[in-house]
Amino acid sequence: MLAERIGSSQLAEMAALGAILEGGLGARDLPRVWALVAPQAAAAGELEARVTVQAGPASRPVVAIAVHGVLALVCQRCLEPVRWPVDVDVALTVVSDEAGTRELADPFDSVLLDAEGMLHLRDAVEDEILAVLPLAPLHADLGECRASSMAGPEPGPAAQVHRPFADLGALLGRRDRQGGQ
Ligand SMILES: [Zn+2]
């Protein structure tokens, strides 16, 4: 279980040591990720997280976040669970204010401390997981997608093209029956 928040002084100590936090991450402990998990899935999935804290440029701590595993998301075609691989590998420089962000070569790879100097570690990890998840997950294998197996073959263009002639055939059929009487 990852610490929810880490104070800046503790973070500086961890950076000096090159501390590594490792462990399983439950989808239930990440409310925004949990909201995307298929409620009917037998297992929500498994995530392994590894967070390394190191000293970066200008003695700012750098938090390297790696998360690997799978999540049972909801297929947007059939609404059944679809196992989705999760692979996060980012290094975020910890900055104490927006001005600090502007000094970085890549401001997007940063994370801000809150007003009390706390790093919201679990939120940062959750943000990175959300960033790699698709907006509309779909079964890549149509054989696994219930929408395709339940709907059956879609009418092809040929069926639509021949519709007027089918009506004509019905018309001729009526004439034939009338003629035969
Ligand atoms: Zn599907």
Side-chain angles (χ1 to χ4, degrees):
M1 192 64 234
L2 284 179
E4 202 164 335
R5 305 203 297 172
I6 300 175
S8 54
S9 58
Q10 192 191 347
L11 201 62
E13 283 171 29
M14 290 171 77
L17 293 168
I20 298 172
L21 309 172
E22 257 179 319
L25 203 54
R28 273 179 197 276
D29 295 318
L30 307 169
R32 289 171 294 153
V33 168
W34 182 244
L36 302 177
V37 167
Q40 75 273 45
E46 315 87 47
L47 296 175
E48 285 290 325
R50 180 187 169 96
V51 175
T52 312
V53 187
Q54 287 166 318
S59 67
R60 288 195 176 97
V62 173
V63 177
I65 298 171
V67 182
H68 301 284
V70 287
L71 283 174
L73 301 181
V74 180
C75 169
Q76 295 304 301
R77 193 159 40 209
C78 69
L79 304 181
E80 291 292 319
V82 52
R83 283 172 65 81
W84 204 270
V86 174
D87 289 295
V88 169
D89 254 308
V90 291
L92 305 175
T93 304
V94 180
V95 289
S96 50
D97 51 31
E98 293 286 351
T101 309
R102 284 193 293 273
E103 290 166 18
L104 300 177
D106 191 346
F108 293 106
D109 287 337
S110 65
V111 59
L112 267 178
L113 296 177
D114 71 8
E116 284 121 49
M118 302 291 280
L119 170 68
H120 293 234
L121 181 61
R122 215 187 302 167
D123 280 349
V125 169
E126 187 171 24
D127 284 344
E128 298 303 327
I129 295 171
L130 289 169
V132 300
L133 295 182
L135 287 174
L138 296 172
H139 283 109
D141 182 353
L142 279 178
E144 288 177 18
C145 193
R146 272 166 58 97
S148 66
S149 61
M150 283 164 69
E154 285 184 21
Q160 286 161 18
V161 164
H162 287 293
R163 204 168 287 152
F165 298 105
D167 292 343
L168 186 62
L171 203 62
L172 290 172
R174 276 202 296 278
R175 280 197 184 144
D176 284 349
R177 278 199 298 279
Q178 282 166 354
Q181 281 169 354

